[in-house]
Short mmCIF file of all heavy atoms in Angstrom, two decimals:
data_model
loop_
_atom_site.label_atom_id
_atom_site.label_comp_id
_atom_site.label_asym_id
_atom_site.label_seq_id
_atom_site.Cartn_x
_atom_site.Cartn_y
_atom_site.Cartn_z
N PHE G 29 -20.55 -67.41 -37.85
CA PHE G 29 -19.85 -67.78 -36.63
C PHE G 29 -20.03 -69.26 -36.37
O PHE G 29 -21.04 -69.84 -36.70
CB PHE G 29 -20.38 -66.97 -35.45
CG PHE G 29 -20.16 -65.51 -35.64
CD1 PHE G 29 -21.19 -64.69 -36.03
CD2 PHE G 29 -18.91 -64.96 -35.45
CE1 PHE G 29 -20.99 -63.34 -36.21
CE2 PHE G 29 -18.69 -63.62 -35.63
CZ PHE G 29 -19.73 -62.81 -36.02
N ARG G 30 -19.06 -69.85 -35.73
CA ARG G 30 -19.11 -71.28 -35.48
C ARG G 30 -18.55 -71.54 -34.09
O ARG G 30 -17.49 -71.05 -33.73
CB ARG G 30 -18.25 -71.97 -36.54
CG ARG G 30 -18.34 -73.46 -36.54
CD ARG G 30 -17.34 -74.01 -37.54
NE ARG G 30 -17.93 -74.23 -38.82
CZ ARG G 30 -18.52 -75.37 -39.18
NH1 ARG G 30 -18.63 -76.33 -38.33
NH2 ARG G 30 -19.00 -75.51 -40.38
N ASN G 31 -19.30 -72.32 -33.31
CA ASN G 31 -18.82 -72.70 -31.99
C ASN G 31 -18.29 -74.12 -32.00
O ASN G 31 -17.39 -74.45 -31.24
CB ASN G 31 -19.94 -72.60 -30.96
CG ASN G 31 -20.34 -71.16 -30.73
OD1 ASN G 31 -19.54 -70.26 -30.92
ND2 ASN G 31 -21.57 -70.94 -30.33
N ALA G 32 -18.86 -74.96 -32.86
CA ALA G 32 -18.43 -76.35 -32.94
C ALA G 32 -17.10 -76.43 -33.69
O ALA G 32 -16.78 -75.56 -34.49
CB ALA G 32 -19.48 -77.17 -33.67
N PRO G 33 -16.33 -77.48 -33.44
CA PRO G 33 -15.07 -77.61 -34.18
C PRO G 33 -15.34 -77.78 -35.68
O PRO G 33 -16.34 -78.36 -36.08
CB PRO G 33 -14.41 -78.86 -33.59
CG PRO G 33 -15.45 -79.52 -32.77
CD PRO G 33 -16.52 -78.54 -32.47
N ILE G 34 -14.43 -77.28 -36.48
CA ILE G 34 -14.54 -77.37 -37.93
C ILE G 34 -14.17 -78.80 -38.33
O ILE G 34 -13.16 -79.32 -37.88
CB ILE G 34 -13.61 -76.34 -38.59
CG1 ILE G 34 -13.99 -74.93 -38.15
CG2 ILE G 34 -13.63 -76.46 -40.11
CD1 ILE G 34 -12.94 -73.89 -38.38
N PRO G 35 -14.99 -79.47 -39.17
CA PRO G 35 -14.67 -80.85 -39.52
C PRO G 35 -13.37 -80.96 -40.30
O PRO G 35 -12.94 -80.02 -40.97
CB PRO G 35 -15.88 -81.29 -40.37
CG PRO G 35 -16.51 -80.03 -40.84
CD PRO G 35 -16.18 -78.98 -39.83
N SER G 36 -12.77 -82.13 -40.20
CA SER G 36 -11.52 -82.38 -40.91
C SER G 36 -11.48 -83.86 -41.27
O SER G 36 -11.96 -84.70 -40.53
CB SER G 36 -10.35 -82.01 -40.00
OG SER G 36 -9.14 -82.14 -40.70
N GLY G 37 -10.91 -84.19 -42.43
CA GLY G 37 -10.85 -85.59 -42.88
C GLY G 37 -12.16 -85.99 -43.54
O GLY G 37 -12.95 -85.15 -43.95
N TRP G 38 -12.40 -87.30 -43.62
CA TRP G 38 -13.63 -87.80 -44.24
C TRP G 38 -14.78 -87.72 -43.25
O TRP G 38 -14.68 -88.18 -42.13
CB TRP G 38 -13.44 -89.24 -44.71
CG TRP G 38 -12.62 -89.35 -45.96
CD1 TRP G 38 -11.35 -89.79 -46.05
CD2 TRP G 38 -13.02 -89.00 -47.29
NE1 TRP G 38 -10.92 -89.73 -47.34
CE2 TRP G 38 -11.93 -89.25 -48.14
CE3 TRP G 38 -14.19 -88.49 -47.84
CZ2 TRP G 38 -11.98 -89.03 -49.51
CZ3 TRP G 38 -14.23 -88.26 -49.20
CH2 TRP G 38 -13.14 -88.52 -50.03
N VAL G 39 -15.89 -87.13 -43.69
CA VAL G 39 -17.09 -87.00 -42.86
C VAL G 39 -18.26 -87.55 -43.66
O VAL G 39 -18.46 -87.18 -44.81
CB VAL G 39 -17.36 -85.51 -42.50
CG1 VAL G 39 -18.64 -85.38 -41.70
CG2 VAL G 39 -16.18 -84.93 -41.75
N GLN G 40 -19.03 -88.46 -43.02
CA GLN G 40 -20.18 -89.05 -43.71
C GLN G 40 -21.47 -88.43 -43.21
O GLN G 40 -21.68 -88.29 -42.01
CB GLN G 40 -20.22 -90.56 -43.47
CG GLN G 40 -21.34 -91.23 -44.24
CD GLN G 40 -21.36 -92.74 -44.05
OE1 GLN G 40 -20.69 -93.28 -43.18
NE2 GLN G 40 -22.12 -93.42 -44.88
N THR G 41 -22.34 -88.04 -44.15
CA THR G 41 -23.69 -87.58 -43.84
C THR G 41 -24.64 -88.36 -44.73
O THR G 41 -24.69 -88.11 -45.93
CB THR G 41 -23.85 -86.06 -44.08
OG1 THR G 41 -23.36 -85.76 -45.38
CG2 THR G 41 -23.11 -85.24 -43.06
N GLY G 42 -25.34 -89.29 -44.13
CA GLY G 42 -26.23 -90.16 -44.92
C GLY G 42 -25.40 -91.03 -45.84
O GLY G 42 -24.48 -91.72 -45.40
N GLU G 43 -25.72 -90.99 -47.13
CA GLU G 43 -24.96 -91.78 -48.10
C GLU G 43 -23.83 -90.98 -48.72
O GLU G 43 -23.09 -91.48 -49.55
CB GLU G 43 -25.90 -92.26 -49.22
CG GLU G 43 -26.94 -93.26 -48.76
CD GLU G 43 -27.77 -93.80 -49.93
OE1 GLU G 43 -27.35 -93.65 -51.09
OE2 GLU G 43 -28.84 -94.34 -49.66
N ARG G 44 -23.69 -89.74 -48.32
CA ARG G 44 -22.69 -88.84 -48.91
C ARG G 44 -21.44 -88.79 -48.03
O ARG G 44 -21.53 -88.77 -46.81
CB ARG G 44 -23.32 -87.46 -49.00
CG ARG G 44 -22.50 -86.41 -49.65
CD ARG G 44 -23.33 -85.11 -49.70
NE ARG G 44 -22.62 -84.07 -50.39
CZ ARG G 44 -21.69 -83.31 -49.84
NH1 ARG G 44 -21.39 -83.47 -48.58
NH2 ARG G 44 -21.08 -82.39 -50.55
N TRP G 45 -20.28 -88.76 -48.67
CA TRP G 45 -19.01 -88.61 -47.98
C TRP G 45 -18.38 -87.30 -48.42
O TRP G 45 -18.47 -86.94 -49.59
CB TRP G 45 -18.05 -89.75 -48.35
CG TRP G 45 -18.37 -91.04 -47.67
CD1 TRP G 45 -19.20 -92.02 -48.11
CD2 TRP G 45 -17.85 -91.48 -46.42
NE1 TRP G 45 -19.24 -93.04 -47.21
CE2 TRP G 45 -18.41 -92.74 -46.16
CE3 TRP G 45 -16.97 -90.94 -45.48
CZ2 TRP G 45 -18.12 -93.47 -45.02
CZ3 TRP G 45 -16.68 -91.66 -44.35
CH2 TRP G 45 -17.25 -92.91 -44.12
N ALA G 46 -17.73 -86.60 -47.49
CA ALA G 46 -17.07 -85.34 -47.83
C ALA G 46 -15.68 -85.33 -47.20
O ALA G 46 -15.51 -85.72 -46.05
CB ALA G 46 -17.87 -84.16 -47.32
N LEU G 47 -14.69 -84.87 -47.96
CA LEU G 47 -13.33 -84.73 -47.46
C LEU G 47 -13.13 -83.26 -47.11
O LEU G 47 -13.16 -82.41 -47.99
CB LEU G 47 -12.31 -85.19 -48.52
CG LEU G 47 -10.83 -85.03 -48.15
CD1 LEU G 47 -10.49 -85.84 -46.90
CD2 LEU G 47 -9.95 -85.47 -49.30
N TRP G 48 -12.92 -82.98 -45.81
CA TRP G 48 -12.74 -81.61 -45.35
C TRP G 48 -11.27 -81.36 -45.07
O TRP G 48 -10.58 -82.20 -44.50
CB TRP G 48 -13.54 -81.38 -44.06
CG TRP G 48 -15.00 -81.26 -44.31
CD1 TRP G 48 -15.88 -82.28 -44.49
CD2 TRP G 48 -15.75 -80.06 -44.41
NE1 TRP G 48 -17.15 -81.78 -44.70
CE2 TRP G 48 -17.09 -80.42 -44.65
CE3 TRP G 48 -15.42 -78.72 -44.32
CZ2 TRP G 48 -18.09 -79.47 -44.80
CZ3 TRP G 48 -16.42 -77.78 -44.45
CH2 TRP G 48 -17.75 -78.17 -44.69
N HIS G 49 -10.82 -80.15 -45.48
CA HIS G 49 -9.43 -79.77 -45.25
C HIS G 49 -9.37 -78.26 -45.07
O HIS G 49 -9.87 -77.52 -45.91
CB HIS G 49 -8.56 -80.21 -46.44
CG HIS G 49 -7.14 -79.79 -46.31
ND1 HIS G 49 -6.30 -80.29 -45.36
CD2 HIS G 49 -6.42 -78.88 -47.00
CE1 HIS G 49 -5.12 -79.72 -45.49
NE2 HIS G 49 -5.16 -78.85 -46.48
N ASN G 50 -8.78 -77.79 -43.98
CA ASN G 50 -8.67 -76.36 -43.68
C ASN G 50 -10.02 -75.65 -43.70
O ASN G 50 -10.15 -74.55 -44.23
CB ASN G 50 -7.72 -75.66 -44.66
CG ASN G 50 -6.29 -75.81 -44.25
OD1 ASN G 50 -6.00 -76.24 -43.14
ND2 ASN G 50 -5.38 -75.48 -45.14
N GLY G 51 -11.06 -76.28 -43.16
CA GLY G 51 -12.38 -75.66 -43.10
C GLY G 51 -13.11 -75.60 -44.42
O GLY G 51 -14.11 -74.91 -44.53
N ARG G 52 -12.62 -76.32 -45.43
CA ARG G 52 -13.27 -76.35 -46.75
C ARG G 52 -13.52 -77.78 -47.16
O ARG G 52 -12.75 -78.68 -46.82
CB ARG G 52 -12.35 -75.73 -47.82
CG ARG G 52 -12.26 -74.26 -47.78
CD ARG G 52 -11.33 -73.73 -48.82
NE ARG G 52 -11.49 -74.41 -50.12
CZ ARG G 52 -10.75 -74.15 -51.17
NH1 ARG G 52 -9.80 -73.25 -51.11
NH2 ARG G 52 -10.94 -74.79 -52.29
N GLU G 53 -14.57 -77.96 -47.91
CA GLU G 53 -14.85 -79.29 -48.46
C GLU G 53 -14.06 -79.40 -49.77
O GLU G 53 -14.31 -78.65 -50.70
CB GLU G 53 -16.34 -79.42 -48.71
CG GLU G 53 -16.76 -80.81 -49.05
CD GLU G 53 -18.26 -80.93 -49.21
OE1 GLU G 53 -18.99 -80.53 -48.30
OE2 GLU G 53 -18.68 -81.40 -50.27
N THR G 54 -13.10 -80.33 -49.82
CA THR G 54 -12.27 -80.44 -51.02
C THR G 54 -12.72 -81.56 -51.93
O THR G 54 -12.37 -81.56 -53.10
CB THR G 54 -10.80 -80.67 -50.64
OG1 THR G 54 -10.70 -81.81 -49.82
CG2 THR G 54 -10.23 -79.47 -49.92
N ALA G 55 -13.50 -82.50 -51.42
CA ALA G 55 -14.00 -83.59 -52.27
C ALA G 55 -15.31 -84.10 -51.69
O ALA G 55 -15.54 -84.02 -50.48
CB ALA G 55 -12.99 -84.72 -52.34
N SER G 56 -16.17 -84.63 -52.56
CA SER G 56 -17.41 -85.24 -52.07
C SER G 56 -17.75 -86.44 -52.95
O SER G 56 -17.52 -86.43 -54.16
CB SER G 56 -18.55 -84.24 -52.06
OG SER G 56 -18.97 -83.97 -53.37
N ILE G 57 -18.28 -87.44 -52.29
CA ILE G 57 -18.69 -88.68 -52.97
C ILE G 57 -20.18 -88.84 -52.73
O ILE G 57 -20.63 -88.87 -51.59
CB ILE G 57 -17.93 -89.89 -52.40
CG1 ILE G 57 -16.42 -89.69 -52.54
CG2 ILE G 57 -18.38 -91.17 -53.08
CD1 ILE G 57 -15.59 -90.69 -51.77
N THR G 58 -20.93 -88.94 -53.83
CA THR G 58 -22.38 -89.11 -53.72
C THR G 58 -22.80 -90.32 -54.54
O THR G 58 -22.20 -90.62 -55.58
CB THR G 58 -23.13 -87.88 -54.25
OG1 THR G 58 -22.63 -87.55 -55.54
CG2 THR G 58 -22.96 -86.69 -53.33
N PRO G 59 -23.83 -91.04 -54.09
CA PRO G 59 -24.32 -92.19 -54.87
C PRO G 59 -24.84 -91.71 -56.22
O PRO G 59 -25.42 -90.63 -56.32
CB PRO G 59 -25.42 -92.80 -54.02
CG PRO G 59 -25.69 -91.84 -52.93
CD PRO G 59 -24.59 -90.85 -52.88
N ASP G 60 -24.61 -92.52 -57.20
CA ASP G 60 -25.04 -92.17 -58.55
C ASP G 60 -26.05 -93.23 -58.95
O ASP G 60 -25.72 -94.40 -58.94
CB ASP G 60 -23.81 -92.18 -59.47
CG ASP G 60 -24.12 -91.63 -60.84
OD1 ASP G 60 -25.16 -90.98 -60.97
OD2 ASP G 60 -23.32 -91.85 -61.75
N GLY G 61 -27.24 -92.88 -59.30
CA GLY G 61 -28.30 -93.83 -59.62
C GLY G 61 -27.86 -95.21 -60.07
O GLY G 61 -28.51 -96.20 -59.77
N GLY G 62 -26.72 -95.32 -60.74
CA GLY G 62 -26.26 -96.62 -61.25
C GLY G 62 -25.49 -97.41 -60.21
O GLY G 62 -25.63 -97.22 -59.01
N PRO G 63 -24.61 -98.30 -60.69
CA PRO G 63 -23.86 -99.15 -59.76
C PRO G 63 -22.71 -98.44 -59.05
O PRO G 63 -22.26 -98.89 -58.02
CB PRO G 63 -23.31 -100.26 -60.67
CG PRO G 63 -23.24 -99.63 -62.02
CD PRO G 63 -24.35 -98.63 -62.08
N GLY G 64 -22.23 -97.31 -59.56
CA GLY G 64 -21.07 -96.64 -58.98
C GLY G 64 -21.43 -95.41 -58.16
O GLY G 64 -22.57 -95.23 -57.73
N VAL G 65 -20.42 -94.56 -57.96
CA VAL G 65 -20.60 -93.31 -57.22
C VAL G 65 -20.02 -92.16 -58.04
O VAL G 65 -19.18 -92.36 -58.90
CB VAL G 65 -19.90 -93.35 -55.83
CG1 VAL G 65 -20.58 -94.32 -54.91
CG2 VAL G 65 -18.43 -93.66 -55.96
N ARG G 66 -20.50 -90.94 -57.76
CA ARG G 66 -19.98 -89.75 -58.43
C ARG G 66 -19.03 -89.08 -57.46
O ARG G 66 -19.30 -88.94 -56.28
CB ARG G 66 -21.12 -88.81 -58.79
CG ARG G 66 -20.61 -87.53 -59.40
CD ARG G 66 -21.36 -86.97 -60.57
NE ARG G 66 -21.94 -87.85 -61.55
CZ ARG G 66 -21.32 -88.26 -62.67
NH1 ARG G 66 -20.08 -87.91 -62.92
NH2 ARG G 66 -21.94 -89.02 -63.54
N LEU G 67 -17.88 -88.65 -58.00
CA LEU G 67 -16.84 -88.03 -57.18
C LEU G 67 -16.58 -86.63 -57.70
O LEU G 67 -16.37 -86.43 -58.89
CB LEU G 67 -15.57 -88.89 -57.28
CG LEU G 67 -14.28 -88.35 -56.69
CD1 LEU G 67 -14.43 -88.12 -55.20
CD2 LEU G 67 -13.15 -89.33 -56.95
N TRP G 68 -16.61 -85.65 -56.79
CA TRP G 68 -16.33 -84.26 -57.12
C TRP G 68 -15.13 -83.84 -56.29
O TRP G 68 -15.09 -84.07 -55.08
CB TRP G 68 -17.53 -83.39 -56.79
CG TRP G 68 -17.30 -81.93 -56.95
CD1 TRP G 68 -17.51 -81.20 -58.08
CD2 TRP G 68 -16.80 -81.02 -55.97
NE1 TRP G 68 -17.17 -79.89 -57.85
CE2 TRP G 68 -16.73 -79.76 -56.55
CE3 TRP G 68 -16.39 -81.16 -54.66
CZ2 TRP G 68 -16.28 -78.64 -55.88
CZ3 TRP G 68 -15.94 -80.05 -53.97
CH2 TRP G 68 -15.89 -78.81 -54.59
N MET G 69 -14.12 -83.23 -56.93
CA MET G 69 -12.90 -82.84 -56.22
C MET G 69 -12.51 -81.42 -56.58
O MET G 69 -12.75 -80.96 -57.69
CB MET G 69 -11.76 -83.78 -56.59
CG MET G 69 -12.02 -85.22 -56.23
SD MET G 69 -10.86 -86.33 -57.00
CE MET G 69 -11.33 -86.26 -58.70
N GLU G 70 -11.86 -80.75 -55.62
CA GLU G 70 -11.40 -79.38 -55.84
C GLU G 70 -9.97 -79.28 -55.33
O GLU G 70 -9.64 -79.76 -54.27
CB GLU G 70 -12.29 -78.42 -55.05
CG GLU G 70 -11.97 -76.97 -55.29
CD GLU G 70 -12.89 -76.07 -54.47
OE1 GLU G 70 -12.73 -76.05 -53.24
OE2 GLU G 70 -13.75 -75.42 -55.07
N GLY G 71 -9.12 -78.62 -56.12
CA GLY G 71 -7.72 -78.43 -55.71
C GLY G 71 -7.53 -77.07 -55.07
O GLY G 71 -8.45 -76.49 -54.51
N GLN G 72 -6.32 -76.54 -55.17
CA GLN G 72 -5.98 -75.27 -54.55
C GLN G 72 -6.74 -74.11 -55.19
O GLN G 72 -7.25 -73.25 -54.52
CB GLN G 72 -4.47 -75.04 -54.69
CG GLN G 72 -3.93 -73.88 -53.90
CD GLN G 72 -3.87 -74.17 -52.41
OE1 GLN G 72 -3.77 -75.31 -52.01
NE2 GLN G 72 -3.98 -73.14 -51.60
N LYS G 73 -6.81 -74.07 -56.50
CA LYS G 73 -7.47 -72.98 -57.23
C LYS G 73 -8.88 -73.43 -57.64
O LYS G 73 -9.14 -74.60 -57.79
CB LYS G 73 -6.67 -72.64 -58.50
CG LYS G 73 -5.21 -72.36 -58.24
CD LYS G 73 -5.03 -70.98 -57.65
CE LYS G 73 -3.60 -70.55 -57.57
NZ LYS G 73 -2.86 -71.06 -56.45
N PHE G 74 -9.75 -72.44 -57.85
CA PHE G 74 -11.12 -72.80 -58.18
C PHE G 74 -11.25 -73.48 -59.54
O PHE G 74 -12.24 -74.14 -59.81
CB PHE G 74 -12.06 -71.58 -58.07
CG PHE G 74 -11.92 -70.59 -59.17
CD1 PHE G 74 -12.65 -70.72 -60.33
CD2 PHE G 74 -11.06 -69.51 -59.05
CE1 PHE G 74 -12.54 -69.80 -61.36
CE2 PHE G 74 -10.93 -68.59 -60.07
CZ PHE G 74 -11.68 -68.74 -61.22
N TRP G 75 -10.25 -73.32 -60.41
CA TRP G 75 -10.34 -74.02 -61.71
C TRP G 75 -9.78 -75.43 -61.62
O TRP G 75 -9.86 -76.18 -62.56
CB TRP G 75 -9.66 -73.21 -62.82
CG TRP G 75 -8.21 -72.93 -62.57
CD1 TRP G 75 -7.16 -73.75 -62.85
CD2 TRP G 75 -7.65 -71.76 -62.00
NE1 TRP G 75 -5.99 -73.16 -62.49
CE2 TRP G 75 -6.26 -71.92 -61.96
CE3 TRP G 75 -8.19 -70.57 -61.52
CZ2 TRP G 75 -5.39 -70.97 -61.46
CZ3 TRP G 75 -7.33 -69.62 -61.03
CH2 TRP G 75 -5.95 -69.82 -61.01
N HIS G 76 -9.20 -75.81 -60.48
CA HIS G 76 -8.75 -77.19 -60.28
C HIS G 76 -9.92 -78.02 -59.77
O HIS G 76 -9.95 -78.44 -58.62
CB HIS G 76 -7.62 -77.26 -59.24
CG HIS G 76 -6.33 -76.69 -59.70
ND1 HIS G 76 -5.33 -76.39 -58.84
CD2 HIS G 76 -5.87 -76.36 -60.92
CE1 HIS G 76 -4.29 -75.91 -59.50
NE2 HIS G 76 -4.61 -75.87 -60.78
N VAL G 77 -10.91 -78.24 -60.59
CA VAL G 77 -12.09 -79.01 -60.21
C VAL G 77 -12.21 -80.19 -61.15
O VAL G 77 -11.97 -80.06 -62.35
CB VAL G 77 -13.37 -78.14 -60.27
CG1 VAL G 77 -14.60 -78.98 -60.03
CG2 VAL G 77 -13.29 -77.03 -59.27
N LYS G 78 -12.57 -81.33 -60.59
CA LYS G 78 -12.70 -82.52 -61.42
C LYS G 78 -13.89 -83.33 -60.95
O LYS G 78 -14.10 -83.49 -59.75
CB LYS G 78 -11.42 -83.35 -61.31
CG LYS G 78 -11.38 -84.51 -62.27
CD LYS G 78 -10.00 -85.11 -62.33
CE LYS G 78 -9.96 -86.14 -63.43
NZ LYS G 78 -8.63 -86.63 -63.68
N GLU G 79 -14.68 -83.81 -61.89
CA GLU G 79 -15.81 -84.70 -61.59
C GLU G 79 -15.59 -85.99 -62.34
O GLU G 79 -15.37 -85.98 -63.55
CB GLU G 79 -17.13 -84.07 -62.04
CG GLU G 79 -17.64 -83.01 -61.11
CD GLU G 79 -19.05 -82.58 -61.46
OE1 GLU G 79 -19.96 -83.43 -61.39
OE2 GLU G 79 -19.22 -81.40 -61.81
N VAL G 80 -15.65 -87.11 -61.60
CA VAL G 80 -15.47 -88.43 -62.22
C VAL G 80 -16.42 -89.43 -61.57
O VAL G 80 -17.05 -89.14 -60.56
CB VAL G 80 -14.00 -88.95 -62.05
CG1 VAL G 80 -13.04 -88.11 -62.85
CG2 VAL G 80 -13.60 -88.99 -60.60
N ARG G 81 -16.50 -90.61 -62.17
CA ARG G 81 -17.26 -91.72 -61.58
C ARG G 81 -16.28 -92.74 -61.06
O ARG G 81 -15.17 -92.88 -61.57
CB ARG G 81 -18.16 -92.37 -62.63
CG ARG G 81 -19.38 -91.55 -62.97
CD ARG G 81 -20.27 -92.24 -64.00
NE ARG G 81 -20.48 -93.67 -63.78
CZ ARG G 81 -21.33 -94.19 -62.88
NH1 ARG G 81 -22.02 -93.39 -62.11
NH2 ARG G 81 -21.47 -95.48 -62.75
N ALA G 82 -16.70 -93.45 -60.01
CA ALA G 82 -15.87 -94.52 -59.46
C ALA G 82 -16.75 -95.73 -59.21
O ALA G 82 -17.98 -95.61 -59.11
CB ALA G 82 -15.21 -94.07 -58.17
N ALA G 83 -16.12 -96.90 -59.12
CA ALA G 83 -16.87 -98.15 -58.95
C ALA G 83 -17.51 -98.22 -57.57
O ALA G 83 -18.63 -98.71 -57.42
CB ALA G 83 -15.96 -99.35 -59.17
N ASN G 84 -16.80 -97.75 -56.54
CA ASN G 84 -17.35 -97.82 -55.18
C ASN G 84 -16.75 -96.68 -54.34
O ASN G 84 -15.87 -95.95 -54.79
CB ASN G 84 -17.07 -99.18 -54.54
CG ASN G 84 -15.60 -99.53 -54.59
OD1 ASN G 84 -14.74 -98.67 -54.43
ND2 ASN G 84 -15.30 -100.81 -54.82
N VAL G 85 -17.21 -96.59 -53.10
CA VAL G 85 -16.77 -95.50 -52.22
C VAL G 85 -15.29 -95.61 -51.90
O VAL G 85 -14.56 -94.61 -51.88
CB VAL G 85 -17.62 -95.48 -50.92
CG1 VAL G 85 -17.08 -94.48 -49.92
CG2 VAL G 85 -19.07 -95.16 -51.23
N ARG G 86 -14.81 -96.84 -51.67
CA ARG G 86 -13.39 -97.03 -51.32
C ARG G 86 -12.47 -96.53 -52.42
O ARG G 86 -11.50 -95.82 -52.19
CB ARG G 86 -13.15 -98.52 -51.02
CG ARG G 86 -11.92 -98.74 -50.19
CD ARG G 86 -11.83 -100.17 -49.71
NE ARG G 86 -10.52 -100.67 -50.15
CZ ARG G 86 -10.33 -101.73 -50.87
NH1 ARG G 86 -11.34 -102.47 -51.27
NH2 ARG G 86 -9.12 -102.09 -51.22
#
Side-chain angles (χ1 to χ4, degrees):
F29 298 102
R30 188 186 267 271
N31 292 334
I34 300 162
S36 185
W38 285 106
V39 177
Q40 184 178 13
T41 50
E43 293 185 17
R44 184 177 183 278
W45 283 90
L47 177 60
W48 285 81
H49 177 67
N50 277 348
R52 285 179 42 182
E53 190 177 307
T54 56
S56 72
I57 302 168
T58 50
D60 189 16
V65 292
R66 176 139 324 268
L67 171 61
W68 174 90
M69 299 167 290
E70 184 180 70
Q72 190 73 26
K73 307 283 189 279
F74 74 88
W75 58 84
H76 290 165
V77 174
K78 188 168 187 172
E79 282 190 63
V80 292
R81 285 181 44 78
N84 54 38
V85 173
R86 201 170 125 236

